[in-house]
Amino acid sequence: MERQIRYQREADLEWAHKFTKHPNCERLLLCIQCGTCSGTCPLSVYMDLTPRQVMAMVREGFRDDVLRSKTIWLCASCYACSVECPQNIKITDIMYRLKREAIQSNLYPKRFPIPVLAQEFCELVRRRGRNSEFWVVFRMAFRSNPFVLLTMARTGWDLWRTGRLSLRMERIQRVNELQYISAASKEVD
Amino acid sequence: MEPSAKYLYYPGCSLKGTGIAYEESLLTTFRLLELPIQELPDWNCCGATTYMSVSETSATLLAARNLALARRTGSRDLLAPCNACYLTLRKSQELVAHYPQIAQETERFLEQAGLPRLDSVRVRHPLEVLYNDVGIERLRELTVRRLQGVRMASYYGCQAVRPYGEVDDPHNPTRMDEILRAVGVEVVDYSLKTKCCGGSHTGTIHDVGVRLNYILLKEAMRRGAQAIVTICPLCQFNLDAYQAEIRKQTGEPMDMPILYLTQVVGWALGGEFRELGLHRAISGRKPVEQWFTAKKEAETYV
Amino acid sequence: MSEQKNGQVRIGVYVCHCGANIADTVDVKAVAEYAATLPGVVVARDYKYMCSDPGQELVQEDIRNLNVNRVVVAACSPSLHENTFRGAAERAGLNPFFVQMVNIREHDSWVHSDREAATEKAKDLVRAAVRRVYFHKPLEKRRVPIHSEVLVVGGGIAGIHAALTVADSGKKVYLVEREPTIGGHMAQYDKTFPTLDCAACILTPKMSAVKAHPNITLWTYSEVVSVDGSVGDYKVVVKRKPRYVREDLCVGCLQCIDTCVFKEPKFDDEFNMGLSKRKPIYIPFPQATPKVVVIDPEACIQLKTGKCKKSCLEACVERGAIDFDQKESYEEIHVGSIIIATGFQTFDPRRMPQYGYGKYPNVYTTLEVERLVNASGPTGGQVVTRDGRVPKSVGIILCVGSRDENTNRWCSRVCCMTSLKLAHLIKEHTGAEVFIFYIDMRAAGKGYEEFYQRVLNEGVHFVRGRVAEITDWALDPSEEGKLVARVEDTNTGFVRRIPLDMVVLAVGLEPQADALNVQRLFGISCSLDGFFLEKHPKLAPAPTYTDGIFIAGVCHGPKDIPDTVMQAGYAAAEAIALADTGYFELEPNTAYIVEEECSGCKSCIPLCPYQAITFNDGKQKAFINEVLCKGCGTCVAACPSGSIKQNLFEDEEIFSEIEGVLAYAQ
């Protein structure tokens, strides 16, 4: 039987404090936990923590819970929550920041396809300046769950016959300019 | 450098692949409207929602490179048809404008890469270009054929109208409805017009993504729509590509054409079936063929 | 009254510690020691709390024993204690205007942290005041007589209560209301929380009392169009809009309404929030006061086209009360003070399209539902949807247009209780499942928490979550034909879809649409939220910064009926006190003209914002009316010959103060 209690020493208040100082995250302190964000989020019914719970946990310093969750990866960045929030909190941008931290701290769920896709995507773009839809999905599937490729066979066929499937590996010409992007400071803290 | 009157077209990664029909219909429509348009040379991926999940600064720089390239060509209007590209490019402008640290990094990067500074490049979207630069009246005048008695639902998606409500109102956008009516389409009342299609989730958490689209398709059918009109390649793909799967799972009939706004407008202005990419439809091929093989009823408006 | 001994100026300087407020930052002892060295200063003291009785005593003793005839008090802001020290001096026999206050708190200790620099600054300020006070003259406060009549603007519960209270004290009251009847929004309510008293039953006796009161002149269907003058002496012009019915002749038999050529009522009934229709000739509700019909010129055929059978005239042939030729008329009244009680409007929920008001017929506002549950409302008290069904599930959404950065930031204070009340009434009328969607449940008044308990006990569902949207698309057969609320129920942690037959939006309270016009008309201020600004939020919530004008009710800020009545009583008490005192003391800081030096150029006359300057043709000189002058200083600065001077701000006084501050630079 699992015991669920949170001791205050587990709460990383310094992290919480620093978090709310970040641009775009400042109004988090004003959250009145009304739940409009979760109510309007199309993905909230699939999330382990609702967006509202994430906001409360960040404020209270429960870093691990949040960074390990699937919730932040389920966010589709539709901005419905940010537009509806009565306190004008930029919830979507907070989700982005949490995603970045989850990767940097290596706490993200390792076999969950979405962060895997994100990293594959960025790898391709970092090196070539463009991504190739087919190759990104292929590599993502390979890394997380190869069987998904089978389920996508029909779609692949449909795209092929309508001339919408490009197998080219895209690349920009002046690739050298990309190195400065990768070298840029990691997080503006 | 003198700003030129051309629209610089930014395809993004989708419009050369799954969204090729968007590119085709966009270029055709602009040609018919006599709007000069040219592809941005050596554009790079904007990063979309994905890069922002990995690094905010790098994501801004990626987007900024495109803005700088646009600046270099001298054009002031960077046209991003994909909702996600549009938002990402716009967002990087806002980040640079409001956060000094990011502005600093951006300046440093542009200097290192030998790119010009970003100023006065406007990020545009085809919906608002059609509405603002062309205008409803002009579209109505130039319409040479109408789709008689075809009902369509306009689907805006999310990132074009949220969070910056510049392309259209975030709660209740109506510009696409107006444009469609101006070119003779009957538009149904569609309350899910800004509900998220799930974006890239159909590729990762497939069932979740498909269900989001099932909801959108079903409601459009309930409202009596015979087609859905979109302005984003990912929305179009999501709504288009999985209808067979939905039919199998639910047993419900579903074969709805998902069209681009530029395809419908392009056709009304006199564009041809193939040059508008209409042959690339996955779902609803029959109705698409029926509607868009023109018996050229040259119905012009007085 | 020893003002000067041997014509010598003897200055006393008092430096206050103000506990730690000043003393922690400024070395008050050093300042006092320094002050003692200044020319003219015969005594300099420092004390912990100058404003206290012993503090004031210090000053008074020195006036009596040391013949101090000029007083400088270095302490807090004069806006707090100038009157205190002037009063103390006066009681010791010294003219109060020989006192000068120096602000070394708000202007020094509270805004600086460097002790040395702050102390030096305090010394500079004291030195300046010492030089200035040397030139002070003995002045007398002007007294302005107060007309005892009072104007009350707005005939809701606030205006009604204020008018009755003032009238009961024997003063004459004008009650001006722009609707055809008094009663305001309270007349629209069914029951009032928490007692569930019938609103009309408790309100109508007061309305009758207003009508019957010998001291109240009731002008309904009227508006204030101009306000001139100042405290004690306001000249107000009231426009009386034409009802096309003679108020003195109509007895309210309502026959004319029956015989109107419109067999069916066709026009939106405003009192019933558009849920029913009325005829062009109508009375807002049965207990309308005065009980006089009114004709809507936008709807009446006779008034619009001149061609009507005028069957109403026939119905009233005996009394002849209907008069299509009636014109608007103007009344000028002279009052001493004004109480503004103009009330509020409700938030327009069309500004929140996600709730579907106006799009889905069965989405209502709380005010509309008040009319539905009311027995004399459009449905006779039956709670039915617009398509005539009795709802089986009703949802009430709180904070619509309140607590929202996107619409109104404030909390409208009454909606939580209103929702509890309506939940109870709806459940009583229909037996439906009632859901209240809230963020917080605010029930702070007397008996309010107990009422919340009562409603909880009745089985109303309380879902803590702000509804994200109301939609009509169904995900489930049970949702077909219903309005679905999608909400995160933060109590259970589930995201829920709740199908409802009827949705009620608890709309927030806002200032009236013309609040800014009213503000300008009366010369008062508004706060950031658009409601009228009080003089002090804690200690003076009814007076405004304009002497003689008071505010009461929701026009000041959202509040419930008990608080409205209390504030109206407060405003009435202030008005009565003003009238009973009979006079108002004004600062003698008025401008005056040195006649010999006036060249008669008339430059000053158009500049005066209070029109206090006139031209004396006989003498060919300008003349300033002391009573109207507010001491703004415009004419003083503008006069080309420098012949206008200002009491308390004479040239010598100002220049010496400047020199005093800058002396360190010499």
Side-chain angles (χ1 to χ4, degrees):
Chain A
M1 304 231 29
E2 206 196 315
R3 183 164 178 269
Q4 287 262 42
I5 188 168
R6 288 279 186 271
Y7 292 103
Q8 194 55 10
R9 57 170 163 75
E10 294 171 51
D12 189 343
L13 288 179
E14 208 186 296
W15 171 79
H17 182 73
K18 212 160 74 157
F19 197 97
T20 54
K21 290 279 169 282
H22 185 264
N24 275 341
C25 305
E26 293 126 347
R27 292 182 71 86
L28 179 54
L29 289 174
L30 296 172
C31 176
I32 52 174
Q33 289 286 295
C34 68
T36 304
C37 48
S38 316
T40 194
C41 174
L43 277 314
S44 63
V45 287
Y46 299 104
M47 293 174 172
D48 37 1
L49 301 170
T50 64
R52 174 195 59 90
Q53 285 176 308
V54 169
M55 297 301 127
M57 289 190 180
V58 169
R59 233 182 7 187
E60 289 301 302
F62 293 109
R63 181 173 180 264
D64 264 34
D65 293 81
V66 171
L67 296 182
R68 284 184 201 278
S69 70
K70 293 213 180 73
T71 295
I72 57 183
W73 298 104
L74 281 164
C75 171
S77 312
C78 78
Y79 287 88
C81 51
S82 304
V83 164
E84 298 297 325
C85 176
Q87 297 285 62
N88 273 353
I89 300 171
K90 297 189 179 168
I91 297 158
T92 318
D93 293 310
I94 292 175
M95 288 293 177
Y96 273 133
R97 183 172 153 116
L98 291 169
K99 287 185 209 178
R100 295 194 290 267
E101 267 207 55
I103 289 184
Q104 274 162 35
S105 61
N106 208 32
L107 289 170
Y108 68 92
K110 299 298 180 304
R111 293 201 70 80
F112 196 46
I114 301 173
V116 173
L117 172 78
Q119 292 180 303
E120 285 305 316
F121 183 104
C122 294
E123 189 49 36
L124 259 176
V125 173
R126 230 192 316 265
R127 286 188 307 161
R128 306 180 73 88
R130 293 186 190 173
N131 79 76
S132 319
E133 289 168 309
F134 173 74
W135 290 108
V136 171
V137 172
F138 187 76
R139 287 166 64 121
M140 179 270 304
F142 190 67
R143 288 255 163 109
S144 62
N145 177 15
F147 288 108
V148 86
L149 287 173
L150 293 173
T151 58
M152 300 181 89
R154 168 75 198 252
T155 313
W157 162 245
D158 283 331
L159 289 171
W160 176 258
R161 65 182 169 84
T162 54
R164 290 160 73 172
L165 186 65
S166 166
L167 290 173
R168 270 183 56 196
M169 261 288 211
E170 297 276 342
R171 200 178 68 111
I172 62 172
Q173 285 167 7
R174 293 191 290 275
V175 200
N176 55 304
E177 289 170 10
L178 294 172
Q179 53 170 310
Y180 302 115
I181 295 181
S182 322
S185 67
K186 276 299 157 196
E187 265 326 298
V188 185
D189 264 331
Chain B
M1 190 175 297
E2 276 293 312
S4 83
K6 260 199 267 273
Y7 290 97
L8 271 180
Y9 160 52
Y10 175 84
C13 308
S14 297
L15 266 74
K16 300 290 186 190
T18 53
I20 184 92
Y22 201 178
E23 179 177 86
E24 291 167 335
S25 54
L26 177 78
L27 295 175
T28 306
T29 304
F30 269 55
R31 193 196 76 228
L32 291 167
L33 289 168
E34 291 176 1
L35 298 172
I37 183 168
Q38 180 209 332
E39 187 171 317
L40 178 69
D42 208 28
W43 57 270
N44 61 276
C45 173
C46 70
T49 56
T50 321
Y51 221 102
M52 190 61 78
S53 310
V54 173
S55 164
E56 183 176 60
T57 322
S58 302
T60 313
L61 298 185
L62 262 183
R65 181 174 176 277
N66 293 304
L67 293 168
L69 288 174
R71 184 77 186 79
R72 177 180 276 167
T73 66
S75 170
R76 267 186 61 209
D77 289 303
L78 183 58
L79 181 68
C82 166
N83 286 3
C85 300
Y86 169 81
L87 177 60
T88 310
L89 293 169
R90 259 311 270 124
K91 194 166 183 199
S92 65
Q93 286 182 318
E94 294 293 313
L95 284 171
V96 167
H98 290 122
Y99 297 112
Q101 273 177 306
I102 296 183
Q104 227 173 31
E105 283 298 323
T106 309
E107 226 180 279
R108 192 162 72 109
F109 157 69
L110 293 173
E111 222 179 273
Q112 286 170 330
L115 289 165
R117 303 190 58 185
L118 315 171
D119 40 36
S120 70
V121 170
R122 295 190 305 180
V123 181
R124 312 295 305 274
H125 189 284
L127 174 57
E128 56 93 9
V129 168
L130 286 174
Y131 191 84
N132 290 325
D133 295 8
V134 180
I136 298 292
E137 279 317 307
R138 184 123 190 277
L139 285 170
R140 195 171 293 157
E141 278 168 35
L142 294 171
T143 303
V144 295
R145 22 161 137 96
R146 330 166 58 192
L147 287 166
Q148 293 281 35
V150 178
R151 294 182 305 278
M152 299 192 180
S154 42
Y155 178 65
Y156 296 76
C158 34
Q159 300 199 340
V161 298
R162 291 191 294 265
Y164 313 123
E166 292 161 347
V167 172
D168 206 337
D169 181 82
H171 274 122
N172 191 23
T174 50
R175 288 177 172 183
M176 191 179 352
D177 296 39
E178 284 183 63
I179 291 173
L180 288 172
R181 285 199 189 100
V183 299
V185 170
E186 193 186 320
V187 179
V188 305
D189 180 31
Y190 187 46
S191 47
L192 298 187
K193 54 178 137 176
T194 59
K195 263 256 176 292
C196 185
C197 69
S200 52
H201 286 343
T202 43
T204 50
I205 38 172
H206 185 73
D207 291 331
V208 173
V210 170
R211 185 178 159 85
L212 289 175
N213 289 286
Y214 164 63
I215 294 172
L216 294 170
L217 289 161
K218 178 139 180 245
E219 184 60 15
M221 281 170 61
R222 244 174 55 124
R223 297 286 172 172
Q226 294 164 288
I228 299 181
V229 187
T230 68
I231 48 175
C232 170
L234 195 45
C235 296
Q236 197 279 342
F237 169 73
N238 277 337
L239 289 166
D240 195 15
Y242 301 109
Q243 292 189 30
E245 187 179 326
I246 293 173
R247 278 197 298 273
K248 201 157 134 207
Q249 269 177 13
T250 64
E252 291 170 36
M254 189 170 287
D255 194 30
M256 180 167 298
I258 313 291
L259 304 163
Y260 288 108
L261 177 64
T262 41
Q263 288 177 316
V264 179
V265 172
W267 190 84
L269 297 176
E272 298 305 326
F273 193 83
R274 283 192 79 86
E275 68 177 352
L276 289 169
L278 286 161
H279 57 295
R280 305 200 190 269
I282 295 178
S283 304
R285 292 186 74 85
K286 258 227 183 72
V288 167
E289 264 161 45
Q290 246 183 340
W291 299 335
F292 295 106
T293 40
K295 310 159 208 137
K296 241 194 177 93
E297 283 142 68
E299 276 192 338
T300 45
Y301 285 75
V302 260
Chain C
M1 285 262 179
S2 63
E3 286 173 23
Q4 291 176 306
K5 186 136 184 161
N6 303 329
Q8 213 189 6
V9 168
R10 297 170 65 79
I11 304 173
V13 178
Y14 305 86
V15 187
C16 185
H17 294 224
C18 194
N21 282 307
I22 298 177
D24 267 7
T25 312
V26 171
D27 184 348
V28 288
K29 286 212 181 309
V31 175
E33 274 164 23
Y34 171 72
T37 67
L38 295 170
V41 176
V42 301
V43 62
R45 305 185 193 281
D46 64 276
Y47 186 65
K48 257 202 171 337
Y49 299 103
M50 277 306 297
C51 55
S52 64
D53 277 344
Q56 293 179 51
E57 264 294 303
L58 279 179
V59 178
Q60 292 172 326
E61 272 171 20
D62 287 346
I63 293 173
R64 284 190 282 261
N65 303 338
L66 294 179
N67 289 323
V68 160
N69 54 29
R70 300 282 192 277
V71 174
V72 171
V73 179
C76 54
S77 163
S79 68
L80 292 167
H81 282 304
E82 185 166 64
N83 281 332
T84 311
F85 296 113
R86 281 183 180 166
E90 200 173 19
R91 287 192 298 280
L94 182 65
N95 184 291
F97 297 97
F98 282 135
V99 175
Q100 175 70 3
M101 264 194 88
V102 183
N103 187 343
I104 57 168
R105 191 180 75 174
E106 281 87 338
H107 286 187
D108 194 5
S109 70
W110 273 2
V111 295
H112 300 304
S113 45
D114 180 340
R115 192 177 169 83
E116 209 181 293
T119 307
E120 284 310 302
K121 180 172 174 179
K123 289 184 191 169
D124 291 338
L125 291 172
V126 168
R127 182 177 59 235
V130 164
R131 289 199 193 195
R132 186 198 216 276
V133 83
Y134 183 91
F135 292 104
H136 277 207
K137 298 201 186 67
L139 298 168
E140 297 302 322
K141 275 199 169 182
R142 291 174 296 144
R143 281 187 175 184
V144 169
I146 304 279
H147 284 263
S148 65
E149 293 174 358
V150 177
L151 166 66
V152 177
V153 184
I157 180 63
I160 288 172
H161 182 80
L164 285 172
T165 310
V166 175
D168 280 344
S169 78
K171 319 270 178 300
K172 194 161 172 6
V173 178
Y174 295 96
L175 178 53
V176 175
E177 162 59 52
R178 77 170 162 203
E179 295 297 316
T181 170
I182 52 175
H185 281 292
M186 187 174 168
Q188 290 177 297
Y189 301 157
D190 180 37
K191 307 268 192 301
T192 54
F193 54 80
T195 52
L196 296 177
D197 269 311
C198 152
C201 307
I202 56 179
L203 179 62
T204 45
K206 284 177 101 90
M207 287 164 62
S208 309
V210 166
K211 189 83 181 74
H213 208 295
N215 284 342
I216 299 181
T217 302
L218 175 61
W219 285 338
T220 54
Y221 216 42
S222 306
E223 287 182 42
V224 172
V225 292
S226 79
V227 178
D228 284 310
S230 58
V231 58
D233 185 18
Y234 285 109
K235 289 197 187 51
V236 179
V237 174
V238 177
K239 176 172 82 174
R240 310 217 52 209
K241 301 186 286 199
R243 298 171 104 102
Y244 306 102
V245 176
R246 300 251 324 252
E247 218 176 291
D248 50 342
L249 296 175
C250 174
V251 295
C253 68
L254 309 184
Q255 293 276 18
C256 49
I257 301 181
D258 284 334
T259 59
C260 175
V261 294
F262 276 88
K263 283 291 152 259
E264 290 302 319
K266 271 202 181 12
F267 305 95
D268 277 345
D269 183 339
E270 296 93 346
F271 187 77
N272 279 333
M273 304 303 293
L275 291 171
S276 64
K277 304 280 186 209
R278 58 161 173 80
K279 298 189 185 180
I281 186 167
Y282 68 102
I283 195 161
F285 56 95
Q287 305 93 337
T289 303
K291 188 137 186 230
V292 175
V293 293
V294 60
I295 303 182
D296 177 2
E298 301 294 314
C300 170
I301 296 184
Q302 173 61 20
L303 288 170
K304 289 212 316 195
T305 67
K307 304 192 185 86
C308 178
K309 212 171 81 178
K310 294 185 275 209
S311 34
C312 50
L313 271 183
E314 283 167 40
C316 194
V317 69
E318 276 172 34
R319 278 177 279 274
I322 299 186
D323 174 13
F324 286 108
D325 294 322
Q326 198 179 65
K327 299 270 175 288
E328 66 187 25
S329 64
Y330 293 87
E331 303 275 355
E332 185 172 312
I333 55 177
H334 203 176
V335 295
S337 54
I338 302 174
I339 299 176
I340 299 177
T342 47
F344 61 94
Q345 67 178 9
T346 50
F347 172 77
D348 180 1
R350 270 175 279 252
R351 286 168 59 190
M352 294 186 75
Q354 63 266 39
Y355 290 150
Y357 182 82
K359 181 174 173 198
Y360 305 123
N362 294 332
V363 177
Y364 295 80
T365 63
T366 35
L367 207 46
E368 288 169 353
V369 174
E370 288 278 353
R371 298 312 304 148
L372 280 183
V373 295
N374 189 274
S376 46
T379 56
Q382 283 206 303
V383 179
V384 286
T385 58
R386 280 194 172 94
D387 38 2
R389 296 176 292 132
V390 177
K392 294 220 178 54
S393 54
V394 179
I396 306 179
I397 302 179
L398 281 166
C399 303
V400 177
S402 305
R403 302 185 72 187
D404 186 353
E405 286 278 332
N406 299 321
T407 54
N408 296 325
R409 286 197 199 169
W410 58 85
C411 165
S412 293
R413 196 151 159 183
V414 300
C415 332
C416 280
M417 290 307 296
T418 306
S419 304
L420 290 176
K421 171 190 78 175
L422 287 178
H424 164 85
L425 291 171
I426 291 172
K427 212 165 158 76
E428 197 178 59
H429 284 238
T430 64
E433 291 296 327
V434 180
F435 295 84
I436 297 185
F437 300 99
Y438 67 104
I439 307 174
D440 293 291
M441 192 44 66
R442 296 185 161 173
K446 186 163 178 174
Y448 288 11
E449 180 68 20
E450 292 85 334
F451 190 68
Y452 176 29
Q453 301 268 343
R454 172 181 179 169
V455 178
L456 269 168
N457 209 33
E458 287 168 1
V460 168
H461 302 269
F462 284 83
V463 176
R464 191 193 173 277
R466 184 168 177 273
V467 172
E469 55 180 342
I470 296 290
T471 70
D472 64 346
W473 50 277
L475 268 187
D476 185 82
S478 65
E479 294 177 0
E480 290 285 345
K482 307 235 181 210
L483 292 172
V484 178
R486 192 173 196 267
V487 62
E488 185 193 9
D489 176 353
T490 67
N491 291 336
T492 58
F494 301 138
V495 175
R496 296 171 67 173
R497 286 176 63 96
I498 303 181
L500 304 161
D501 291 316
M502 181 188 221
V503 174
V504 184
L505 304 177
V507 284
L509 307 186
E510 290 181 334
Q512 292 270 19
D514 64 348
L516 282 179
N517 287 341
V518 172
Q519 174 220 351
R520 250 178 270 133
L521 189 60
F522 290 93
I524 56 176
S525 308
C526 285
S527 42
L528 209 63
D529 47 22
F531 291 103
F532 297 135
L533 186 61
E534 66 285 309
K535 195 165 193 179
H536 191 282
K538 289 286 197 191
L539 301 177
T544 62
Y545 279 107
T546 308
D547 294 319
I549 300 190
F550 309 97
I551 50 182
V554 181
C555 67
H556 157 258
K559 56 179 69 67
D560 52 19
I561 293 169
D563 284 350
T564 297
V565 170
M566 280 192 260
Q567 196 181 32
Y570 175 7
E574 291 277 332
I576 294 170
L578 205 57
D580 279 348
T581 318
Y583 65 86
F584 189 81
E585 277 186 343
L586 297 175
E587 280 266 303
N589 61 340
T590 48
Y592 63 92
I593 298 179
V594 179
E595 249 186 46
E596 309 82 69
E597 294 174 28
C598 172
S599 63
C601 71
K602 299 194 197 170
S603 312
C604 54
I605 295 173
L607 292 172
C608 179
Y610 305 96
Q611 287 141 337
I613 313 183
T614 48
F615 195 67
N616 185 326
D617 286 305
K619 293 193 197 168
Q620 287 292 299
K621 308 264 182 198
F623 167 75
I624 295 179
N625 183 344
E626 254 198 345
V627 175
L628 292 174
C629 174
K630 288 261 183 200
C632 72
T634 306
C635 59
V636 179
C639 175
S641 55
S643 54
I644 307 187
K645 307 205 184 291
Q646 185 162 348
N647 288 321
L648 275 186
F649 291 93
E650 306 274 359
D651 284 354
E652 313 87 72
E653 289 168 348
I654 297 179
F655 287 134
S656 64
E657 198 169 2
I658 296 173
E659 280 165 22
V661 168
L662 296 175
Y664 77 95
Q666 283 172 333

